Amino acid sequence: MKAAMNNVFRSAVFGVGAIAMVLGATNAQAGDYGYKPGQKAVYQVNEIDRANGALRNVGNHLEATGTPLEGNIDLAVVSHSSGVYMLLEGATNSKGELYEPKVQDLMSKGVAFLQCRKTLQGKGLKKSDLVDGVEIVPSGVGEVAEKQRNGYAYVKP
């Protein structure tokens, strides 16, 4: 009788351990980012001096949550005022590094880059001056407000 109870106990312990291993493997396969999917964030970039930090913050955010293409987050970067210079083809930062590769990398992960039409008009720029894939919105501040109204967290690096 005692031997039978020990076998039942061992089977139960083994079964619980197996379930824990399967659940752990499932979490690892699904991408354990530490945050539940479903975040929505809008980053406002209206100062070129903050562009490097903003792009770095967006990348760090995706590392912590997963990407829009994975369905983990909805993330947009809204640019207006001098922030537009981050989105110009061939534009470089103070170290001479191009912004475009980082912008395109983030876009390839599903991040939306939205540029204010009023800024383009005020600076005499055209959509064709921008990195491919940048979308034009009527107003940068209007877009930020609209995103907030729709539940997006506001981030200003």
Side-chain angles (χ1 to χ4, degrees):
M1 177 82 151
K2 193 174 186 178
M5 290 298 286
N6 281 341
N7 284 340
V8 168
F9 179 73
R10 273 186 261 198
S11 294
V13 169
F14 177 76
V16 169
I19 290 170
M21 285 181 11
V22 168
L23 290 176
T26 302
N27 272 350
Q29 290 170 358
D32 186 12
Y33 294 105
Y35 297 96
K36 292 181 182 176
Q39 286 187 16
K40 298 191 311 186
V42 58
Y43 282 71
Q44 179 182 14
V45 181
N46 64 337
E47 301 171 60
I48 190 59
D49 294 342
R50 294 179 175 243
N52 283 333
L55 294 173
R56 185 176 52 253
N57 287 169
V58 171
N60 291 344
H61 199 154
L62 297 183
E63 285 178 18
T65 61
T67 69
L69 290 181
E70 294 171 316
N72 291 351
I73 188 169
D74 189 355
L75 198 148
V77 176
V78 177
S79 171
H80 62 98
S81 191
S82 68
V84 68
Y85 298 120
M86 163 185 77
L87 298 178
L88 293 177
E89 282 190 348
T92 59
N93 63 23
S94 60
K95 297 177 184 175
E97 301 163 334
L98 290 167
Y99 290 111
E100 189 170 352
K102 184 64 176 172
V103 169
Q104 288 185 333
D105 177 59
L106 293 170
M107 277 196 244
S108 75
K109 295 173 181 173
V111 175
F113 280 81
L114 310 173
Q115 175 56 51
C116 172
R117 179 182 297 128
K118 291 185 177 298
T119 295
L120 290 178
Q121 292 168 342
K123 296 188 179 298
L125 298 168
K126 302 176 295 252
K127 182 172 175 38
S128 60
D129 295 324
L130 303 176
V131 172
D132 286 340
V134 174
E135 300 171 48
I136 306 301
V137 295
S139 165
V141 293
E143 189 68 22
V144 168
E146 185 66 16
K147 294 282 190 200
Q148 287 182 289
R149 179 168 59 179
N150 288 304
Y152 284 67
Y154 172 74
V155 183
K156 174 95 161 89

